[in-house]
Amino acid sequence: MDGLNTGYAALLLEQFLDNPTAVPAEWRELFESAPPELLRAQPGLAALLERFGNGHATPVGVAPTPAPAPRPAPAREVVVDEELVGGVAAAMALVKAFRMHGHLAAHLDPLGSEPPGDPALEPERLIPKLTPELQARIPASLLRLHVPGETLAEALPHLRETYCGTIAYEIEHISDHEERVWLRQAIESGLYRRPLDDAERIALLGRLARVEGMEQYLRRSFLGQKQFSIEGVDVMVPMLDEAIELASAGGAHEVVIGMAHRGRLNVLAHVVGRPYEVILREFEGERTIEAVVSSEEGGTGDVKYHLGAEGTRKTEAGEITVTLASNPSHLEAVDPVVEGRARAEQTDRSTRDGYHDPTVALPILIHGDAAFSGQGEVAETLNLQGLDGYSTGGTLHLISNNQVGFTTDPEDARSTRYSSDLAKGFDVPIIHVNADDPEAAVAAVRLANAYRWRFGHDVVVDLVGYRRHGHNEQDEPAYTQPLLAAAIAGHATVRELYAARLVAEGVVPEARADELVREVQAELKAAHEELKRSFGIEPELAPVEHRLPATSGSTVHTAVPAERLRDLNEQLLRVPDWFTPHPKLMKQLERRRETLNDGGIDWGQAEALAYASLLVDGIPIRITGQDTERGTFAHRHAVLHDVNTGATFTPMQHLDDAVASFEIHNSPLSEYACVGFEYGYSAAAPEALVLWEAQFGDFVNGAQIVIDQFISAGLSKWGETSRLTLLLPHGYEGNGPEHSSARLERFLQLAAQENIRIVNCSTSAQYFHLLRRQALDATARPLVVMTPKGLLRLKQASSTLDDLSAGAFRPVLDDASADRERATRLILCSGKVYYDIAGHERRGEAEGVAVARLEQLYPFPVKETAELLRGYPELRELVWVQEEPQNMGPFRAIRHRLEEAKPGAVQLVYAGRPWRASPSEGYPTAHLREQDRIVHAALGL
Ligand SMILES: Cc1ncc(C[n+]2csc(CCOP(=O)(O)OP(=O)(O)O)c2C)c(N)n1
């Protein structure tokens, strides 16, 4: 054993265990001849070498050593070349360094800034020094490399070119061994960097000419108008071309893209296929009133670089739909929306649980470098990728990295080296690529695509380019980034660089390369002139009526025959033989049998019956939220858990006659991304009832951007709406300022032109009819429901089977027990406070007082409220009562409606919390006192 280096043998053994063919044949023979248990431990290795090693053949690649002098048997000695053994260890470290840190020496910046490099990448600085001579003696096969070369010396240039060229990789942080090995092999084998043939290269040049030509034409023709030029990351368009082509080849029928302003017009034209004429018309629209394109819905429209579009593209594998999601200025807000859209496309809602096939659609998110690292939404969205209820089989993220955010340099914008670093925490591989190497950029997409198909995870391509002009066309970049601006001004465009390369390589004649640019300019000019000619002859557009169509809620039949409800109720209580539910819970649920006869159908049961009845009507349902399977207040229990095995069973997915899917998922602890996701899903699945439930309504403001920009304004801006239903627990029960209010006032402030529906209903039957109406109404609109907490099980708020099998949702509930002829004071309130008033111990003392409920707050039920008031001829006071402070809750939003509805002589009185900075008291006793004061004031006691 003395002369034999056990460390070297151990290294070979490790390789052998990983891949038997990776070690020289002699060693393989040796290892294969040993009992397996010996191979697994160091002492075993020593024993093995003891038994077989002495005198064993010298490993391949080790320089022959002089024959050892004869020694007395049995011990014989193998002399090992220490320098070589050390060299192999250093070489392994070097390979590891290239894989881990090669990106630090890569040439990623088109503007030529020097990469920082890393000492671990320099063979001469390793110990022992990997001199050229030593490199030549180290067999590449020992290093588990996939680049060409027999020795390290031969492999090293390839290694450098692979990891430190114009593409660089960060993959070693990935925790899954199989993924790492696959990626290393894919990267080093160069499989995805196969050289393009001449025709492909000319086509690529043609695309770049088109991208550049369009930007230049728009800038010249519409001086100073914002176009958020793509120039500097032009290659994004051919990259998207490639991604779409590959998605189609993989069987996808849709690609859903989300992106911000930068390069969007170019993507619209060249990737989605919006005709030049339409884009030019929008530019003209900014200065020519006749050209203004009015929204069909009568909305107020949006700037041209926010509009979504859908196109059909021809690919080798057939046609594919390309959708660019509409989005607001709020950077990254569209990310989860795109994910939701893609998920909806990937889901077969004719199956009971919504069969999910991620091959059907590919989501692509294009991010700015400043936004990717700055906006928390990115992290929330990345966190969705591996979750059952949210996965889309992997998203292709493309960072359009122009190395500046508006006027802010990266040093001021992030604490990490790369914009993409956040993604590392999500086990996502990152491919950096220099935007001036179009072939490398396309290869990056190929690798990203292959990885997605193989592993179904997200992947990031960080496209490092620059921004040729200011943030927009009105900005002067030299005021804030003078050096950068000067460097860019002297830098040829990617089209020029690529054309020069192809001309130099004889792929395309110079004249043809120039012609490509002229062709696109001519095409744009012709489209523009044609458009201008049309202005004179087009009839003038009628003035736009800025009113969206009314909701049609009243026409929907929401009652369900009693027998059917009984049947569904029974089916919801069924569990299979193999399943043992929690006995206490089952007992509780089984009470749902008695309520059908005796009354007491609570919120949970009414909701379950609404869903079940919709499923058999063919309406798919998706409901998500934090702890939604059980329900925050333990009122739902839609998913049961086997007490012995932990297995789950969802009765709603096992209804006999259901012809649509029921998807239910506990969500991650996010509001912004989760509401965005459901908005996207619901917009792409208009036939489905999609619900998102807040843990407490108070937390919904974490998703305020989605509410303001998509849910409320989407219809007016983009003609986009949905049936998305927000269930927001709301009500003052003494649980403090963050467990009381779903900020009803915010929704009321956002409500106009019948864009959304807002309801605060007070009985389980009302909730039942409301849910059914929301699903069945021909006019889709988002619905915001203030849902109860205490009322979930309150006897007075429960309903009977008759309530569900007859009637409909009523926007106003009158006081059934009122003495109409004598009532002089009408209390009008909404939601839970009704029970505080109606059930108050001194209610009986308040003579001549009636208590009615406003169940739908928006659209305001004008007719029904007028009817209500007409029913009280002696009225002197109309008291609006709310639990919320006066600056919150409904009062400020509906006051004018109440003023309009009441006769002039009737006085409008407010009873509620006074103006407050915080929604509620922090102490239960303070709450009780205030609640009591409000009720007394309301009753006039
Ligand atoms: C949430 C949000 N905050 C601020 C802005 C204002 N804004 C518009 S573009 C921009 C810079 C974006 O930089 P980057 O993400 O690198 O994209 P680029 O414009 O450079 O392509 C900012 C701050 C915004 N649109 N959205």
Side-chain angles (χ1 to χ4, degrees), residues 261-262 329-331 368-371 375 402 404-406 471:
H261 49 282
R262 176 89 42 226
S329 282
H330 294 62
L331 296 167
D369 51 314
Q375 293 289 309
N402 56 22
V404 64
F406 209 145
H471 174 66

PDB file of all heavy atoms in Angstrom, residues 261-262 329-331 368-371 375 402 404-406 471, ligand 1:
ATOM      1  N   HIS A 261     -43.201  47.904 -20.807  1.00  0.00           N
ATOM      2  CA  HIS A 261     -43.173  48.844 -21.916  1.00  0.00           C
ATOM      3  C   HIS A 261     -42.067  48.577 -22.924  1.00  0.00           C
ATOM      4  O   HIS A 261     -42.263  48.669 -24.119  1.00  0.00           O
ATOM      5  CB  HIS A 261     -42.978  50.244 -21.328  1.00  0.00           C
ATOM      6  CG  HIS A 261     -41.841  50.283 -20.330  1.00  0.00           C
ATOM      7  ND1 HIS A 261     -41.981  49.808 -19.050  1.00  0.00           N
ATOM      8  CD2 HIS A 261     -40.550  50.676 -20.446  1.00  0.00           C
ATOM      9  CE1 HIS A 261     -40.821  49.917 -18.409  1.00  0.00           C
ATOM     10  NE2 HIS A 261     -39.940  50.446 -19.240  1.00  0.00           N
ATOM     11  N   ARG A 262     -40.860  48.260 -22.406  1.00  0.00           N
ATOM     12  CA  ARG A 262     -39.681  48.224 -23.268  1.00  0.00           C
ATOM     13  C   ARG A 262     -39.783  47.177 -24.376  1.00  0.00           C
ATOM     14  O   ARG A 262     -39.908  45.993 -24.103  1.00  0.00           O
ATOM     15  CB  ARG A 262     -38.435  47.942 -22.414  1.00  0.00           C
ATOM     16  CG  ARG A 262     -37.139  47.781 -23.145  1.00  0.00           C
ATOM     17  CD  ARG A 262     -36.353  49.048 -23.379  1.00  0.00           C
ATOM     18  NE  ARG A 262     -36.351  49.911 -22.219  1.00  0.00           N
ATOM     19  CZ  ARG A 262     -36.580  51.232 -22.283  1.00  0.00           C
ATOM     20  NH1 ARG A 262     -36.811  51.808 -23.430  1.00  0.00           N
ATOM     21  NH2 ARG A 262     -36.574  51.951 -21.187  1.00  0.00           N
ATOM     22  N   SER A 329     -48.832  50.074 -16.014  1.00  0.00           N
ATOM     23  CA  SER A 329     -47.444  50.543 -15.856  1.00  0.00           C
ATOM     24  C   SER A 329     -46.753  49.841 -14.692  1.00  0.00           C
ATOM     25  O   SER A 329     -45.540  49.705 -14.688  1.00  0.00           O
ATOM     26  CB  SER A 329     -47.440  52.045 -15.563  1.00  0.00           C
ATOM     27  OG  SER A 329     -47.650  52.761 -16.740  1.00  0.00           O
ATOM     28  N   HIS A 330     -47.517  49.450 -13.726  1.00  0.00           N
ATOM     29  CA  HIS A 330     -46.930  48.850 -12.521  1.00  0.00           C
ATOM     30  C   HIS A 330     -46.109  47.632 -12.897  1.00  0.00           C
ATOM     31  O   HIS A 330     -46.655  46.577 -13.240  1.00  0.00           O
ATOM     32  CB  HIS A 330     -48.034  48.466 -11.541  1.00  0.00           C
ATOM     33  CG  HIS A 330     -48.763  49.657 -11.011  1.00  0.00           C
ATOM     34  ND1 HIS A 330     -49.469  50.499 -11.826  1.00  0.00           N
ATOM     35  CD2 HIS A 330     -48.865  50.148  -9.760  1.00  0.00           C
ATOM     36  CE1 HIS A 330     -49.985  51.470 -11.097  1.00  0.00           C
ATOM     37  NE2 HIS A 330     -49.630  51.282  -9.840  1.00  0.00           N
ATOM     38  N   LEU A 331     -44.817  47.814 -12.813  1.00  0.00           N
ATOM     39  CA  LEU A 331     -43.916  46.777 -13.294  1.00  0.00           C
ATOM     40  C   LEU A 331     -44.112  45.478 -12.529  1.00  0.00           C
ATOM     41  O   LEU A 331     -44.316  45.494 -11.323  1.00  0.00           O
ATOM     42  CB  LEU A 331     -42.469  47.266 -13.195  1.00  0.00           C
ATOM     43  CG  LEU A 331     -42.196  48.477 -14.102  1.00  0.00           C
ATOM     44  CD1 LEU A 331     -40.863  49.133 -13.755  1.00  0.00           C
ATOM     45  CD2 LEU A 331     -42.222  48.071 -15.563  1.00  0.00           C
ATOM     46  N   GLY A 368     -37.775  43.767 -16.796  1.00  0.00           N
ATOM     47  CA  GLY A 368     -36.672  44.722 -16.845  1.00  0.00           C
ATOM     48  C   GLY A 368     -35.675  44.326 -15.766  1.00  0.00           C
ATOM     49  O   GLY A 368     -36.035  43.688 -14.780  1.00  0.00           O
ATOM     50  N   ASP A 369     -34.403  44.711 -15.952  1.00  0.00           N
ATOM     51  CA  ASP A 369     -33.401  44.296 -14.957  1.00  0.00           C
ATOM     52  C   ASP A 369     -33.626  44.986 -13.620  1.00  0.00           C
ATOM     53  O   ASP A 369     -33.452  44.379 -12.558  1.00  0.00           O
ATOM     54  CB  ASP A 369     -31.979  44.555 -15.466  1.00  0.00           C
ATOM     55  CG  ASP A 369     -31.777  45.969 -15.969  1.00  0.00           C
ATOM     56  OD1 ASP A 369     -32.636  46.462 -16.729  1.00  0.00           O
ATOM     57  OD2 ASP A 369     -30.767  46.602 -15.610  1.00  0.00           O
ATOM     58  N   ALA A 370     -34.049  46.258 -13.644  1.00  0.00           N
ATOM     59  CA  ALA A 370     -34.298  46.953 -12.373  1.00  0.00           C
ATOM     60  C   ALA A 370     -35.546  46.380 -11.703  1.00  0.00           C
ATOM     61  O   ALA A 370     -35.565  46.170 -10.493  1.00  0.00           O
ATOM     62  CB  ALA A 370     -34.463  48.441 -12.614  1.00  0.00           C
ATOM     63  N   ALA A 371     -36.546  46.108 -12.483  1.00  0.00           N
ATOM     64  CA  ALA A 371     -37.800  45.615 -11.919  1.00  0.00           C
ATOM     65  C   ALA A 371     -37.636  44.201 -11.356  1.00  0.00           C
ATOM     66  O   ALA A 371     -38.181  43.875 -10.301  1.00  0.00           O
ATOM     67  CB  ALA A 371     -38.893  45.627 -12.986  1.00  0.00           C
ATOM     68  N   GLN A 375     -38.844  44.481  -7.532  1.00  0.00           N
ATOM     69  CA  GLN A 375     -40.264  44.278  -7.227  1.00  0.00           C
ATOM     70  C   GLN A 375     -40.501  42.924  -6.550  1.00  0.00           C
ATOM     71  O   GLN A 375     -40.193  41.864  -7.123  1.00  0.00           O
ATOM     72  CB  GLN A 375     -41.096  44.368  -8.514  1.00  0.00           C
ATOM     73  CG  GLN A 375     -41.115  45.771  -9.127  1.00  0.00           C
ATOM     74  CD  GLN A 375     -41.926  46.771  -8.304  1.00  0.00           C
ATOM     75  OE1 GLN A 375     -43.070  46.516  -7.959  1.00  0.00           O
ATOM     76  NE2 GLN A 375     -41.319  47.900  -7.976  1.00  0.00           N
ATOM     77  N   ASN A 402     -30.965  45.995 -19.799  1.00  0.00           N
ATOM     78  CA  ASN A 402     -30.256  47.087 -20.494  1.00  0.00           C
ATOM     79  C   ASN A 402     -29.330  47.851 -19.543  1.00  0.00           C
ATOM     80  O   ASN A 402     -28.860  48.926 -19.858  1.00  0.00           O
ATOM     81  CB  ASN A 402     -31.241  48.011 -21.202  1.00  0.00           C
ATOM     82  CG  ASN A 402     -32.276  48.578 -20.246  1.00  0.00           C
ATOM     83  OD1 ASN A 402     -32.050  48.617 -19.044  1.00  0.00           O
ATOM     84  ND2 ASN A 402     -33.392  49.018 -20.777  1.00  0.00           N
ATOM     85  N   VAL A 404     -29.683  49.506 -16.927  1.00  0.00           N
ATOM     86  CA  VAL A 404     -30.093  50.762 -16.298  1.00  0.00           C
ATOM     87  C   VAL A 404     -31.605  50.700 -16.065  1.00  0.00           C
ATOM     88  O   VAL A 404     -32.326  50.035 -16.811  1.00  0.00           O
ATOM     89  CB  VAL A 404     -29.696  51.981 -17.184  1.00  0.00           C
ATOM     90  CG1 VAL A 404     -30.410  51.975 -18.513  1.00  0.00           C
ATOM     91  CG2 VAL A 404     -29.918  53.307 -16.465  1.00  0.00           C
ATOM     92  N   GLY A 405     -32.061  51.341 -15.004  1.00  0.00           N
ATOM     93  CA  GLY A 405     -33.500  51.428 -14.748  1.00  0.00           C
ATOM     94  C   GLY A 405     -33.890  52.888 -14.738  1.00  0.00           C
ATOM     95  O   GLY A 405     -33.558  53.615 -13.797  1.00  0.00           O
ATOM     96  N   PHE A 406     -34.513  53.350 -15.789  1.00  0.00           N
ATOM     97  CA  PHE A 406     -34.862  54.764 -15.983  1.00  0.00           C
ATOM     98  C   PHE A 406     -33.559  55.571 -15.955  1.00  0.00           C
ATOM     99  O   PHE A 406     -32.826  55.567 -16.931  1.00  0.00           O
ATOM    100  CB  PHE A 406     -35.856  55.212 -14.906  1.00  0.00           C
ATOM    101  CG  PHE A 406     -36.777  56.312 -15.366  1.00  0.00           C
ATOM    102  CD1 PHE A 406     -38.098  56.365 -14.925  1.00  0.00           C
ATOM    103  CD2 PHE A 406     -36.356  57.305 -16.253  1.00  0.00           C
ATOM    104  CE1 PHE A 406     -38.962  57.377 -15.345  1.00  0.00           C
ATOM    105  CE2 PHE A 406     -37.210  58.313 -16.671  1.00  0.00           C
ATOM    106  CZ  PHE A 406     -38.509  58.351 -16.212  1.00  0.00           C
ATOM    107  N   HIS A 471     -34.701  56.681 -21.449  1.00  0.00           N
ATOM    108  CA  HIS A 471     -35.723  55.764 -20.941  1.00  0.00           C
ATOM    109  C   HIS A 471     -36.913  55.745 -21.894  1.00  0.00           C
ATOM    110  O   HIS A 471     -37.449  54.705 -22.239  1.00  0.00           O
ATOM    111  CB  HIS A 471     -36.162  56.191 -19.541  1.00  0.00           C
ATOM    112  CG  HIS A 471     -37.303  55.392 -19.018  1.00  0.00           C
ATOM    113  ND1 HIS A 471     -37.184  54.057 -18.739  1.00  0.00           N
ATOM    114  CD2 HIS A 471     -38.582  55.724 -18.746  1.00  0.00           C
ATOM    115  CE1 HIS A 471     -38.354  53.599 -18.305  1.00  0.00           C
ATOM    116  NE2 HIS A 471     -39.222  54.597 -18.308  1.00  0.00           N
TER     117      HIS A 471
HETATM  118  C1  LIG B   1     -44.195  49.543  -9.745  1.00  0.00           C
HETATM  119  C2  LIG B   1     -43.585  50.633 -10.555  1.00  0.00           C
HETATM  120  N1  LIG B   1     -42.794  51.544  -9.974  1.00  0.00           N
HETATM  121  C3  LIG B   1     -42.228  52.523 -10.711  1.00  0.00           C
HETATM  122  C4  LIG B   1     -42.455  52.619 -12.049  1.00  0.00           C
HETATM  123  C5  LIG B   1     -41.836  53.743 -12.875  1.00  0.00           C
HETATM  124  N2  LIG B   1     -40.871  53.193 -13.846  1.00  0.00           N
HETATM  125  C6  LIG B   1     -41.205  52.992 -15.110  1.00  0.00           C
HETATM  126  S1  LIG B   1     -39.973  52.284 -15.985  1.00  0.00           S
HETATM  127  C7  LIG B   1     -38.945  52.277 -14.682  1.00  0.00           C
HETATM  128  C8  LIG B   1     -37.556  51.733 -14.813  1.00  0.00           C
HETATM  129  C9  LIG B   1     -37.591  50.297 -15.182  1.00  0.00           C
HETATM  130  O1  LIG B   1     -36.315  49.800 -15.333  1.00  0.00           O
HETATM  131  P1  LIG B   1     -36.094  48.327 -15.858  1.00  0.00           P
HETATM  132  O2  LIG B   1     -36.893  47.379 -15.059  1.00  0.00           O
HETATM  133  O3  LIG B   1     -34.632  48.074 -15.893  1.00  0.00           O
HETATM  134  O4  LIG B   1     -36.705  48.361 -17.319  1.00  0.00           O
HETATM  135  P2  LIG B   1     -36.240  49.241 -18.563  1.00  0.00           P
HETATM  136  O5  LIG B   1     -37.154  50.419 -18.662  1.00  0.00           O
HETATM  137  O6  LIG B   1     -34.835  49.635 -18.345  1.00  0.00           O
HETATM  138  O7  LIG B   1     -36.397  48.338 -19.723  1.00  0.00           O
HETATM  139  C10 LIG B   1     -39.575  52.818 -13.569  1.00  0.00           C
HETATM  140  C11 LIG B   1     -38.940  52.965 -12.254  1.00  0.00           C
HETATM  141  C12 LIG B   1     -43.316  51.671 -12.613  1.00  0.00           C
HETATM  142  N3  LIG B   1     -43.638  51.709 -13.889  1.00  0.00           N
HETATM  143  N4  LIG B   1     -43.836  50.683 -11.866  1.00  0.00           N
END
